[in-house]
């Protein structure tokens, strides 16, 4: 397989491989100070090679901070396969990807991300041992319910910080994206007594959730126009920007806490914007760490109860960040970044 090393400042290794059939893959290893890098593989139809590289770099850096802040013995890495999974995904291609992962000899462990299904992992697993979160018997399986549980802990901590109660009983919450994480999160919120509204492009999933769980449907842009106390982005990244942040504040939103990765379009500018409105932003990679915690529990023998117990600590970590940000008069995302970089010796 043809591979080439790409030199990128601040990253330990970035390698690009030709998987055949005109499909390339990039593995980005950001930092392995705390352990081998682990992060999912995203199979996505990027417009340009630069887009694929940028995504791999951004996501792998995020994984370093996520694992460090969750106190896991893991580093940050991520891989992307550039192509339309519906059109170019074949067994041969996934096997070539497994060979590519093997070429790093354990510096990077792969897992599931957007565009990769559990069946794909099963194929990859036949050719590499550097893989986690598969459907194998001793594996941790779908991380989404644990991720949702962690996001719920982040919301409870934010409520404690702001309202002096760690419950959202009677509060109006909007979830954007009722997928694997959003739907599980909705169940926790409803059980806690919240009134849950949701936007979802998949009308079948939305109708099911509304009919069976009493969730109130919103149209796709309803999260920007509807009054609420809490907003939970659980779909895509970059939803918090100079347009949406004032809209959310005008709608009375006081807490932003959701499962999506990279919610702030510009981490420094947009976290400052959120702070100026008085809304509380619980940093994404702090509250959505349940998934990686669940996967990390595979090292040394998976235990579901240990994963939940470790994920429940997201409550304390979130509260610490919110309180420190208030004391230091800084955006929460900045405080969290400073703490993570200090743990990695990058401060
Ligand atoms: P998913 O694909 O199951 O769910 C996303 C849902 O959002 C889908 O149902 C999709 O139809 C919907 N959606 C997409 N665009 C939308 C829009 N504009 N408005 C409303 N709905 C929209 O994915 P998931 O596993 O639930 O992950 C959700 C987010 O959380 C992603 O950003 C993911 O990277 C992040 N995340 C997931 C995990 C995990 O364990 N699954 C862990 C950490 C972070």
């Amino acid at each position: 397989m043809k591979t080439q090393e790409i030199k990128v400042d601040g990253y330990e290794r970035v390698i690009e491989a030709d998987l055949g059939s005109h499909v390339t893959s990039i593995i980005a290893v950001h930092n392995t100070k705390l352990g081998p890098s682990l992060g999912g593989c995203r199979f996505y139809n990027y417009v340009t090679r630069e887009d694929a590289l940028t995504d791999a770099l951004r996501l792998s850096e995020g994984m370093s901070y996520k694992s460090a802040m969750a106190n896991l013995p893991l580093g940050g890495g991520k891989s992307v396969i550039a192509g339309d999974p519906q059109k170019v995904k074949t067994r041969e291609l996934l096997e070539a990807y497994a060979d590519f992962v093997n070429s790093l000899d354990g510096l990077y462990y792969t897992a599931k991300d957007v565009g990769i299904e559990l069946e794909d992992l099963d194929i990859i697993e036949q050719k590499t041992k550097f893989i986690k979160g598969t459907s194998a018997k001793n594996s941790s399986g779908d991380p989404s319910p644990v991720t949702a549980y962690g996001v719920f802990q982040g919301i409870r901590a934010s409520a404690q910080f702001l309202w002096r109660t760690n419950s959202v009983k009677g509060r109006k919450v909007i979830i954007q994206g009722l997928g694997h994480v959003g739907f599980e999160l909705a169940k926790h919120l409803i059980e806690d007594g919240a009134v849950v509204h949701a936007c979802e492009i998949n009308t079948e999933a939305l109708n099911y959730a509304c009919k069976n769980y009493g969730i109130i449907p919103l149209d796709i842009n309803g999260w920007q126009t509807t009054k609420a106390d809490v907003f939970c982005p659980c779909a895509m990244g970059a939803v918090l920007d100079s347009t949406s942040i004032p809209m959310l504040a005008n709608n009375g939103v006081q807490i932003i806490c959701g499962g999506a990765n990279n919610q702030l379009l510009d981490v420094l500018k947009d976290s400052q914007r959120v702070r100026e409105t008085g809304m509380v932003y619980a940093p994404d990679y702090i509250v959505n760490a349940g998934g990686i915690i669940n996967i990390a529990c595979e090292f040394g023998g998976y235990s579901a109860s240990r994963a939940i117990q470790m994920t429940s600590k997201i409550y304390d970590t979130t509260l610490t960040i919110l309180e420190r940000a208030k004391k230091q008069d800084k955006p929460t995302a900045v405080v969290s970044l400073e703490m993570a970089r200090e743990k990695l010796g990058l401060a």
Side-chain angles (χ1 to χ4, degrees), residues 188-210:
H188 287 296
L189 293 165
I190 290 165
E191 201 184 337
D192 192 34
V195 181
V196 177
H197 292 58
C199 312
E200 169 57 61
I201 49 176
N202 179 339
T203 47
E204 207 179 309
L206 184 63
N207 290 341
Y208 174 83
C210 295

Side-chain angles (χ1 to χ4, degrees), residues 42 66 143-144 147 176-182 199-202 220 234-236 259-261 288 291:
R42 182 166 290 190
K66 190 183 296 201
S144 312
T147 301
Q176 183 192 37
L178 277 183
H180 289 86
V181 175
C199 312
E200 169 57 61
I201 49 176
N202 179 339
I220 205 68
C234 292
M236 337 82 71
N261 283 314
N288 72 14

